[in-house]
Amino acid sequence: MALKTAEHYRSKTKPTWCKDCGDYKVLETLTAALAELELEPHDIVLTAGVGCASRLPFYTNSYGFHTVHGRALPAAIGIKIANRDRTVLSVGGDGDGFSIGGNHFIHASRKNPDLTYIIMDNEIYGLTKGQNSPTSHEDLLTKINPYEVVEERINPVLMALSFNTSFIARGFCDDQDQLKDMIVQAVKHKGFSFVHVLSPCTQYNQKVTYESLRKRIKQLPDGHDTSDRIISMKYALTQEPLYMGIFYKNARMTLNDKLEHLREISYDQIGNPSEYSLKDVIKQFE
Ligand SMILES: Cc1ncc(C[n+]2csc(CCOP(=O)(O)OP(=O)(O)O)c2C)c(N)n1
Ligand code: SF4
Ligand SMILES: [Mg+2]
């Protein structure tokens, strides 16, 4: 197979994102990671929900599925069950993934499909012009709550740790080498991999900028034990500084492997369904 560059994974569609949106950097980094993984574009499937971040599959040269709001993960899980040799990734924003789609994150973590979920977190609903999202800071006043924010924010990495998500990392779109390495490792990891990416919205969230994030972030210490969930939770709980890197990895059976195992044991019990007819099945209930 000829070696590929990031360009091989870009479609001809020009992004409609605003100037300097962090999502450009995520697109650049993701396509560079796919090149490093030397995957064939026709072996890759990207699913997304709705939002600025969720537009990313339009800009890649791969299979893509732009689902409805919050439903990137169930589509990806179904695709992976039916196409175990494909590399499946889901992408989207903090609103898509943690508001309307929040439930799917919990159950994807429980099911452990072998796919990678990249959330571009700008702490705002960008596409709909600037409403608070579940990750917005409590001080962020917007047109939907001009006086005070009444809801507390969530902590995506801590949440993933509590669900025992199989691979958990946090990166910054402006630290592209580190982010590329994280995405490569996430894709190689067998199981549900979550990459939380800080990706500023330059239009609607003036509180989360490249400069403000640069001041807040710090790398996890060298030698951080990625098998230790409790220590990882301590780092995830810390907001100042905001730790970056691979927090946690846990190798366990993937959904496809579990379904294969289930097939084997059920065949032992009832035989291979393709070997008996529907009429025979109906007869059992007569
Ligand atoms: C069922 C449904 N409800 C609401 C919307 C409106 N809507 C579109 S995108 C969006 C939020 C997107 O925020 P986020 O996922 O953070 O993406 P961003 O635009 O910030 O990248 C909302 C509420 C919708 N499209 N469908
Ligand atoms: S509104 Fe924000 S998130 Fe959407 S493209 Fe513009 S800068 Fe990016
Ligand atoms: Mg957002």
Side-chain angles (χ1 to χ4, degrees):
M1 184 177 61
L3 285 181
K4 294 187 164 40
T5 64
E7 265 318 290
H8 283 99
Y9 300 90
R10 285 290 303 274
S11 70
K12 293 194 168 55
T13 310
K14 197 170 172 285
T16 51
W17 292 319
C18 311
K19 187 171 177 296
D20 296 330
C21 174
D23 298 350
Y24 283 104
K25 291 175 187 271
V26 180
L27 175 65
E28 253 175 48
T29 312
L30 172 61
T31 49
L34 296 173
E36 189 168 318
L37 288 159
E38 296 185 13
L39 296 166
E40 290 293 344
H42 60 252
D43 284 333
I44 304 166
V45 187
L46 284 180
T47 74
V50 175
C52 296
S54 296
R55 294 191 59 76
L56 190 143
F58 288 111
Y59 313 134
T60 60
N61 174 26
S62 65
Y63 287 106
F65 188 177
H66 194 208
T67 71
V68 289
H69 201 17
R71 302 297 180 260
L73 281 177
I77 293 171
I79 289 166
K80 185 67 185 183
I81 289 173
N83 302 272
R84 61 177 309 149
D85 297 331
R86 297 286 173 274
T87 297
V88 181
L89 298 102
S90 285
V91 295
D94 39 298
D96 193 74
F98 303 132
S99 282
I100 194 166
N103 244 343
H104 297 298
F105 188 77
I106 304 174
H107 300 292
S109 297
R110 294 176 57 225
K111 289 181 168 73
N112 200 31
D114 182 18
L115 57 91
T116 300
Y117 189 31
I118 300 175
I119 287 270
M120 286 156 259
D121 189 354
N122 50 19
E123 302 188 18
I124 198 91
Y125 293 174
L127 187 77
T128 45
K129 299 185 185 294
Q131 299 82 18
N132 299 57
S133 91
T135 57
S136 297
H137 197 278
E138 287 89 352
D139 289 347
L140 184 75
L141 301 183
T142 69
K143 56 199 120 178
I144 57 161
N145 43 21
Y147 310 115
E148 195 170 59
V149 179
V150 295
E151 292 155 314
E152 289 180 16
R153 72 195 307 203
I154 61 152
N155 177 332
V157 169
L158 186 65
M159 196 172 84
L161 283 161
S162 78
F163 301 147
N164 202 23
T165 305
S166 185
F167 176 105
I168 304 167
R170 181 158 55 212
F172 180 25
C173 69
D174 209 23
D175 285 338
Q176 290 178 288
D177 287 344
Q178 183 187 39
L179 182 60
K180 183 178 76 170
D181 185 53
M182 264 175 206
I183 295 173
V184 167
Q185 291 202 49
V187 171
K188 284 184 177 168
H189 180 84
K190 291 274 162 261
F192 182 51
S193 305
F194 170 49
V195 184
H196 180 219
V197 186
L198 312 179
S199 177
C201 168
T202 49
Q203 292 298 306
Y204 297 109
N205 192 347
Q206 305 316 322
K207 296 230 177 198
V208 182
T209 62
Y210 290 97
E211 297 71 31
S212 69
L213 289 171
R214 179 64 67 203
K215 283 190 195 138
R216 286 182 67 204
I217 64 176
K218 184 174 177 176
Q219 297 306 313
L220 283 167
D222 284 343
H224 165 61
D225 181 357
T226 54
S227 67
D228 190 330
R229 198 145 63 116
I230 301 289
I231 297 281
S232 300
M233 281 182 171
K234 284 190 181 161
Y235 286 121
L237 271 166
T238 309
Q239 291 293 302
E240 304 292 341
L242 201 52
Y243 283 101
M244 313 298 287
I246 296 174
F247 281 72
Y248 182 67
K249 283 193 257 183
N250 135 339
R252 58 188 204 268
M253 268 176 95
T254 66
L255 179 61
N256 277 82
D257 291 341
K258 287 188 217 164
L259 291 176
E260 194 51 47
H261 182 248
L262 177 63
R263 191 208 311 258
E264 279 164 21
I265 57 171
S266 62
Y267 281 18
D268 279 352
Q269 297 285 322
I270 57 164
N272 183 340
S274 64
E275 284 167 10
Y276 49 90
S277 70
L278 185 59
K279 268 191 189 157
D280 294 336
V281 176
I282 292 169
K283 251 189 199 154
Q284 293 175 25
F285 299 93
E286 281 174 355

